[in-house]
């Protein structure tokens, strides 16, 4: 309780067997670390997006999506996060806070990254199912030993069962694409170099969902299914491998283009792209192409980004951040302007 905050707790436990005679067992004791207060983070301000000029089901149907990198326990080490107290890094502490925040927003769709495989099975899947979600999960392609078992992180997409049903899922393993690319390279030494650079175990998870209550009355009357394609990915993090980031994103977008060619379906691409505005990867996502003069294209030891003209896609993607930074009646308030300046200082 609140009165315990700041204090260590001492627990005495004595095991007594009914009907047993003789010497009484000695009590066992355990002392806890100091009790820490429950976190009380400030409420995040949800900024409405300006949808002017955006047509189709995305504009007519309203739903919410949250994307979140959870920081897998595998990577939450004191060496990596020296500024953070050990109790705050402890998974038993963090998982409840994460669940509380996710449940507070109760989005219609949840795209989570760095979901550790054993934590998905033992915690998130069941806890979120209890509050109305169904889940699809794709873990990375190489597991590591965590002390008691093998595990690795991955991408998990949850959706509210009262709003959507799953139509189809696609799993993208960038390692498979890397192997195919390496097979096309002639010399064995070059193939080895390509695999060393491209095999990073990252994955993407794509789901096609169907709205249970179509937002477009005309479409519903005509019996037209209201579908939505959601891609969830975690792109490689190493800032030195910008060519690998760009190649992974380009590979994902090419796969999404194939889905788009088979059906007229709105698309959402969410995830942790480990890229910033102005990067080649960000340019490809939001602009559909990368300028041939972009400085990051000069880092291409494998030649996988040439010619630059191939680095394009035709998906009508709109950046949620740029929509927030743009002007519009939905953003006509002080809080939105403050956030806009954070995203776009100019």
């Amino acid at each position: 309780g609140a009165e315990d905050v700041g204090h260590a707790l001492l627990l005495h436990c004595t095991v007594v067997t009914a009907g047993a005679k003789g010497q009484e067992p000695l009590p066992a004791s355990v002392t806890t670390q100091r009790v820490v207060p429950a976190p009380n983070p400030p409420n995040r301000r949800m900024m409405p997006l300006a949808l002017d000029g955006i047509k189709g089901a995305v504009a007519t149907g309203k739903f919410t999506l949250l994307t979140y990198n959870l920081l897998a326990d595998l990577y939450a080490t004191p060496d990596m996060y020296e500024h953070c107290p050990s109790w705050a890094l402890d998974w038993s502490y963090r998982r409840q806070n994460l669940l509380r925040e996710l449940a507070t927003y109760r989005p219609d769709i949840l795209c989570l990254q760095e979901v550790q495989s054993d934590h998905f099975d033992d915690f998130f899947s069941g806890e979120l199912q209890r509050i109305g979600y169904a889940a699809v999960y794709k873990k990375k392609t190489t597991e590591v030993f965590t002390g008691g078992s093998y595990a690795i992180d991955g991408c998990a997409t949850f959706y509210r069962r009262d709003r959507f049903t799953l139509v189809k899922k696609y799993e993208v393993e960038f390692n498979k694409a890397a192997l195919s690319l390496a097979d096309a390279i002639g010399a064995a030494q070059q193939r080895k170099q390509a695999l060393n650079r491209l095999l990073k175990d990252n994955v993407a998870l794509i789901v096609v969902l169907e709205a249970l209550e179509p937002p477009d009355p005309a479409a519903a009357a005509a019996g037209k299914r209201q579908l939505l394609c959601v891609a969830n990915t975690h792109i490689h993090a190493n800032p030195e491998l910008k060519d690998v980031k760009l190649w992974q994103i380009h590979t994902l977008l090419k796969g999404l283009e194939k889905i788009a060619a088979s059906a007229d379906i709105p698309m959402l691409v969410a995830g942790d792209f480990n890229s910033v505005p102005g990067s080649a990867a960000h340019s490809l996502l939001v602009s559909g192409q990368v300028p041939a003069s972009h400085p990051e294209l000069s880092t291409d030891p494998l030649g996988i980004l040439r010619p630059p003209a191939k680095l394009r896609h035709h998906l009508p993607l709109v950046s949620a951040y740029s929509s927030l930074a743009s002007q519009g009646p939905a953003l006509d308030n002080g809080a939105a302007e403050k956030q806009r300046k954070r995203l776009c200082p100019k």
Side-chain angles (χ1 to χ4, degrees):
E3 68 277 8
D4 299 320
V5 172
H7 300 279
L9 303 182
L10 176 63
L11 174 66
H12 284 292
C13 181
T14 302
V15 179
V16 178
T17 304
K21 297 180 180 180
Q23 185 178 3
E24 294 185 4
L26 295 176
S29 301
V30 61
T31 302
T32 71
Q33 295 181 343
R34 291 186 181 275
V35 177
V36 297
N40 186 26
N43 291 329
R44 299 182 193 269
R45 286 189 173 273
M46 297 301 183
M47 302 299 180
L49 299 181
L51 295 177
D52 297 340
I54 303 176
K55 301 179 180 179
V58 172
T60 57
K62 293 183 178 180
F63 59 90
T64 55
L65 181 144
L66 184 151
T67 180
Y68 208 133
N69 184 320
L70 300 183
L71 177 58
D73 190 45
L74 287 166
Y75 313 128
T77 63
D79 291 339
M80 184 66 70
Y81 296 93
E82 295 178 347
H83 61 283
C84 191
S86 58
W87 57 261
L89 287 174
D90 187 80
W91 178 244
S92 61
Y93 175 79
R94 287 204 301 126
R95 70 176 189 173
Q96 296 297 337
N97 301 333
L98 288 166
L99 180 64
R100 184 184 302 112
E101 181 158 0
L102 298 176
T104 297
Y105 296 127
R106 193 167 172 74
D108 298 316
I109 302 170
L110 261 170
C111 291
L112 304 180
Q113 304 86 43
E114 286 199 24
V115 182
Q116 199 163 301
S117 53
D118 51 341
H119 296 161
F120 174 82
D121 294 332
D122 301 339
F123 183 71
F124 283 111
S125 180
E127 292 296 328
L128 288 170
Q129 184 177 6
R130 271 190 277 276
I131 59 175
Y133 288 93
V136 185
Y137 181 68
K138 173 60 179 174
K139 65 182 179 181
K140 289 181 179 177
T141 45
T142 299
E143 294 184 317
V144 296
F145 190 65
T146 61
S149 61
Y150 284 88
I152 196 61
D153 65 298
C155 296
T157 299
F158 294 83
Y159 56 92
R160 282 176 51 180
R161 296 192 302 269
D162 60 343
R163 294 223 57 188
F164 296 99
T165 185
L166 179 66
V167 176
K168 196 166 186 178
K169 75 168 183 176
Y170 303 87
E171 297 179 349
V172 179
E173 295 182 0
F174 295 114
N175 277 7
K176 288 184 177 179
L179 291 169
S180 297
L181 183 62
D183 286 342
I185 297 176
Q189 185 61 29
Q190 289 180 316
R191 285 200 300 272
K192 183 178 179 180
Q193 291 175 350
L195 292 177
N196 285 340
R197 194 168 184 88
L198 296 177
L199 291 179
K200 303 302 179 187
D201 299 321
N202 298 88
V203 297
L205 177 62
I206 304 170
V207 296
V208 177
L209 304 175
E210 180 177 2
L212 296 179
E213 297 181 3
D216 186 343
K224 184 178 179 181
R225 303 170 73 186
Q226 296 293 287
L227 302 177
L228 176 68
C229 181
V230 181
N232 179 13
T233 190
H234 189 185
I235 297 301
H236 187 60
N238 190 335
E240 300 299 321
L241 299 180
K242 294 181 175 62
D243 56 321
V244 177
K245 298 176 191 284
L246 182 55
W247 172 77
Q248 287 182 347
I249 289 177
H250 183 250
T251 300
L252 173 60
L253 292 172
K254 291 289 111 178
L256 291 173
E257 280 191 320
K258 293 179 181 179
I259 297 175
S262 63
D264 181 15
I265 179 171
M267 288 200 171
L268 283 166
V269 184
D272 182 350
F273 301 101
N274 277 305
S275 303
V276 297
S279 65
H282 182 268
S283 177
L284 178 60
L285 277 166
V286 303
S287 304
Q289 60 184 348
V290 181
S293 59
H294 198 289
E296 290 183 8
L297 296 184
S298 61
T299 303
D300 184 20
L302 302 176
I304 58 176
L305 307 180
R306 294 192 288 267
K310 76 175 184 179
L311 299 174
R312 61 178 64 244
H313 69 86
H314 299 94
L315 299 171
L317 299 179
V318 177
S319 168
Y321 293 110
S322 64
S323 296
L324 177 59
S326 66
Q327 299 301 312
L331 306 172
D332 190 18
N333 63 73
E337 178 62 18
K338 182 178 179 180
Q339 183 71 356
R340 185 195 69 79
K341 289 181 178 179
R342 289 176 179 171
L343 295 170
C344 185
K346 296 181 181 180

